[in-house]
Amino acid sequence: MVLAMSRPSRHPKTGIFWLRKRVPSDLVARVGRAIEYFSLQTREPGEAKQRHAEAVARLEARWAELRCGEPAAGPGATTDATPSPRSLSEREAGERAGWMYAHWLGLHRENPSQQRFWPTDLYRHLWRSPGGRIEHKEDGRTAVRAVLSFAQAEKVAELEAWCRDQAETVLALHDVEADEASVLRVAKAVAAQVQRASLTLAALARGEPGVGPAPVATAAPAAKPAKAVGLIELVEAWWREAERTGKSESTRESYTNTFKQLVAFLKHDEAYRVTVEDVRRFKDHRLATRKPNGQLLSPTTVKNSDLAALKSVFGWGVANGRLGENPATDVTVARVSKVRLREREFTAEEARRLLEAASTMERGRELPQTHAAKRWIPWVLAFTGARVGEIAQLRRQDLRKEAVEGHPNGVWVLRITPEAGRVKTKHAREVPLHAQLVEMGFPEFVAGATGERLFLVPDAKGDIAGPLRGLKNRLSEAAREHVDDPGVSPNHSWRHRFRTVATESGVSGNVIDAICGWSAKSVGERYGSVTLKARADAIARLNRIEV
């Protein structure tokens, strides 16, 4: 049978240790993947070994449970025979590892001097006994001196484990059940290809003449996988798991759109055929794409939306045995420094104009919920620092009155919660209402709402994603009628202004973070909590806004 990994493998780029273990062939169908592959989330070798051992124990216990849960075969029943391990010749092993040369060059060709994972001087020590050399001392005694230092021996062991890791993965992708000797042959062939590529990279780094450009890396071994997966199929499979981990519907929509655009660009839907060069060409295509207003897509959008989608979904495909390599791993967009001509928050005059317009806005032919949003949401943003979507999706039950020490008339409290819709941090928080909002009648407005949602009408399926997106756009359009400076965001600049105003009012940073839903900046700030009284006291310190 194929050897199981006995130690964690270090990622050659990030230095983070990973577990990669082949699923027993009789359980692949039930587990749904051929390789278990996930990060151990540490760069410390000792910690990685402990986590690796614990993870392997959990995997093997789970596999044992799966086997115990299988129904016993009755008389005359047939079972699928487990394929016997194959023996690969050195030629076959070399063919299985041949793709690694181009892949390794492709990973590092932009900055060949930064390839430090594979030290070429240690290659000759792989899979050899550490041994030592005999030294004769002047007093007639002899001693054996180790050829390698302890650190070098550790690195050799790491490289051997990594090569075996790659060998097991490529054999699994080709659905080859190999014997122990064959796995070792493939691992040695992988090492030879990486050594050859690393020597080429070293020559490139020295600028030696006669060394041509590195070949384009392929996304996977040249052979087509036994079970090829389509690009759209891949992103849909990713979503089935991502949804359970809390990814938002908007992320699904964004990632799916990116993959549809990739299919249209490449004119095929086969994930295994996508190469690093394909991803680079797609990146360039997106950078040359214009939005409906005629402006080019920003490099930030291409990097944080398109490339983020490709990296995440292809990475999931590798981790779950659907793909051999992630072709988007090292593709990026150069950071562009934006020219900023002003601060990102509204000025006092801009805030006053927007709030005055909100207070005097007359309802046209729009829905009552839309008119209410234009009337109330700017005011609520001004006194809470919340994200516009968090307020736009509010429900009647998200406002209540609480007795709070030091506030004899009680405090009206907004609960911003993932139960109502998307919250970026996925954590609920409570924000007291400012007295000016109470005097203006916001609690009475909430109590008189006819539907559950204060500012939205869900679609026929009860979803709010589409209506929410439309409402945010209408709020932006309304704000732009009064503040058209492109240096500020028509909705998000309220959040910037809130921090500035709260800081001027003497509110401490950790209380502002708690009100706005920002994460703690240090370990110390994660201890303890900001009480509702502390938040209410902070909101009470904010000055009224006269319009």
Side-chain angles (χ1 to χ4, degrees):
M1 64 180 290
V2 175
L3 286 177
M5 284 294 295
S6 59
R7 58 189 295 142
S9 58
R10 188 194 295 270
H11 192 283
K13 281 281 189 180
T14 66
I16 295 174
F17 285 95
W18 286 67
L19 178 147
R20 183 182 294 175
K21 188 172 179 65
R22 184 168 184 178
V23 177
S25 57
D26 60 315
L27 294 178
V28 169
R30 302 189 68 183
V31 174
R33 66 193 70 173
I35 296 285
E36 289 285 2
Y37 179 59
F38 51 83
S39 169
L40 297 174
Q41 299 182 341
T42 181
R43 292 184 174 87
E44 296 296 326
E47 181 70 17
K49 289 178 181 178
Q50 179 179 345
R51 294 185 184 183
H52 184 272
E54 294 171 352
V56 168
R58 289 195 298 270
L59 282 175
E60 292 181 344
R62 177 169 161 240
W63 293 341
E65 290 176 0
L66 287 175
R67 287 193 175 101
C68 291
E70 291 177 349
T78 60
T79 59
D80 294 332
T82 300
S84 300
R86 281 187 56 192
S87 177
L88 302 178
S89 67
E90 292 181 356
R91 177 188 60 79
E92 290 175 306
E95 290 175 351
R96 298 297 183 188
W99 62 277
M100 178 58 82
Y101 177 77
H103 166 69
W104 197 253
L105 287 177
L107 280 179
H108 303 285
R109 69 175 182 173
E110 294 295 330
N111 297 288
S113 64
Q114 294 180 16
Q115 191 292 110
R116 301 186 182 93
F117 174 76
W118 188 273
T120 55
D121 59 320
L122 293 182
Y123 171 69
R124 61 191 178 91
H125 297 287
L126 296 181
W127 291 288
R128 293 186 178 182
S129 172
R133 65 173 182 268
I134 298 176
E135 292 186 349
H136 298 280
K137 297 187 177 294
E138 294 180 355
D139 59 4
R141 292 182 301 168
T142 59
V144 178
R145 182 177 297 276
V147 174
L148 299 176
S149 68
F150 178 79
Q152 289 174 321
E154 282 282 295
K155 184 63 177 179
V156 166
E158 179 187 351
L159 296 178
E160 290 176 352
W162 183 81
C163 290
R164 185 180 292 278
D165 190 9
Q166 305 305 309
E168 290 185 353
T169 299
V170 73
L171 289 171
L173 287 171
H174 286 268
D175 202 22
V176 175
E177 183 78 13
D179 58 26
E180 177 179 338
S182 297
V183 175
L184 183 57
R185 289 190 191 104
V186 176
K188 289 181 177 180
V190 167
Q193 295 292 349
V194 176
Q195 174 72 2
R196 190 161 67 94
S198 296
L199 289 171
T200 300
L201 290 167
L204 286 170
R206 294 191 297 268
E208 292 185 0
V211 178
V216 175
T218 55
K224 180 178 178 179
K227 297 178 180 178
V229 61
L231 289 166
I232 302 304
E233 178 188 354
L234 185 68
V235 74
E236 289 174 349
W238 163 84
W239 170 248
R240 286 192 291 272
E241 182 174 315
E243 184 179 23
R244 295 194 295 273
T245 65
K247 296 290 185 184
S248 67
E249 184 67 31
S250 61
T251 301
R252 175 193 185 182
E253 182 180 0
S254 173
Y255 283 22
T256 301
N257 286 339
T258 293
F259 270 77
K260 288 180 178 178
Q261 290 161 353
L262 180 63
V263 170
F265 175 75
L266 296 178
K267 297 181 173 57
H268 71 75
D269 184 42
E270 296 174 293
Y272 83 97
R273 289 175 55 189
V274 181
T275 67
V276 176
E277 188 58 33
D278 288 335
V279 177
R280 290 195 182 102
R281 291 191 302 109
F282 178 67
K283 175 199 73 172
D284 294 339
H285 163 72
R286 292 293 290 157
L287 288 171
T289 300
R290 294 188 180 275
K291 296 183 287 187
N293 63 6
Q295 296 180 348
L296 290 170
L297 287 178
S298 72
T300 300
T301 297
V302 175
K303 179 178 181 179
N304 296 342
S305 182
D306 294 318
L307 290 182
L310 299 181
K311 290 174 190 285
S312 295
V313 176
F314 283 137
W316 179 89
V318 172
N320 288 274
R322 310 283 183 103
L323 292 174
E325 294 292 331
N326 182 343
T329 297
D330 296 302
V331 182
T332 188
V333 177
R335 183 177 179 180
V336 178
S337 298
K338 291 185 177 181
V339 176
R340 196 170 76 182
L341 302 177
R342 56 164 295 170
E343 296 299 329
R344 299 174 69 181
E345 71 258 21
F346 294 127
T347 64
E349 173 57 24
E350 288 170 336
R352 188 198 65 76
R353 288 208 308 269
L354 289 169
L355 296 179
E356 181 180 29
S359 299
T360 58
M361 183 174 296
E362 296 183 0
R363 180 187 169 191
R365 301 176 62 182
E366 60 197 3
L367 293 172
Q369 290 88 346
T370 303
H371 177 260
K374 294 178 180 179
R375 165 71 177 90
W376 287 109
I377 287 180
W379 280 97
V380 176
L381 296 179
F383 281 117
T384 64
R387 301 172 181 90
V388 63
E390 295 172 339
I391 303 303
Q393 66 195 15
L394 283 176
R395 307 164 301 173
R396 278 182 319 208
Q397 61 264 39
D398 295 330
L399 180 68
R400 71 183 193 282
K401 194 171 188 179
E402 287 284 333
V404 177
E405 181 184 353
H407 297 264
N409 297 324
V411 174
W412 286 98
V413 180
L414 275 179
R415 180 172 174 79
I416 296 173
T417 171
E419 295 171 328
R422 181 176 183 267
V423 176
K424 186 174 182 179
T425 61
K426 298 181 175 60
H427 293 165
R429 68 182 189 277
E430 296 188 333
V431 183
L433 280 191
H434 191 273
Q436 187 171 354
L437 285 175
V438 176
E439 294 170 11
M440 291 171 61
F442 185 70
E444 287 77 12
F445 156 72
V446 174
T450 56
E452 179 188 37
R453 300 282 175 175
L454 302 181
F455 306 116
L456 289 173
V457 178
D459 63 21
K461 296 180 180 179
D463 295 333
I464 66 167
L468 178 60
R469 185 165 52 250
L471 177 59
K472 289 161 67 174
N473 290 339
R474 285 189 284 275
L475 287 170
S476 295
E477 293 166 1
R480 283 300 186 205
E481 294 179 6
H482 305 281
V483 178
D484 59 1
D485 189 333
V488 291
S489 165
N491 291 323
H492 203 67
S493 287
W494 285 117
R495 193 161 163 83
H496 290 279
R497 177 167 177 77
F498 179 86
R499 185 168 200 107
T500 298
V501 171
T503 300
E504 288 178 347
S505 301
V507 181
S508 64
N510 66 317
V511 177
I512 296 175
D513 291 344
I515 292 172
C516 294
W518 282 305
S519 301
K521 299 177 182 61
S522 67
V523 174
E525 291 180 357
R526 296 177 198 146
Y527 284 79
S529 60
V530 178
T531 65
L532 183 59
K533 172 176 168 48
R535 300 178 199 216
D537 291 345
I539 294 295
R541 295 175 71 102
L542 303 182
N543 293 328
R544 297 171 60 88
I545 303 174
E546 302 298 336
V547 296

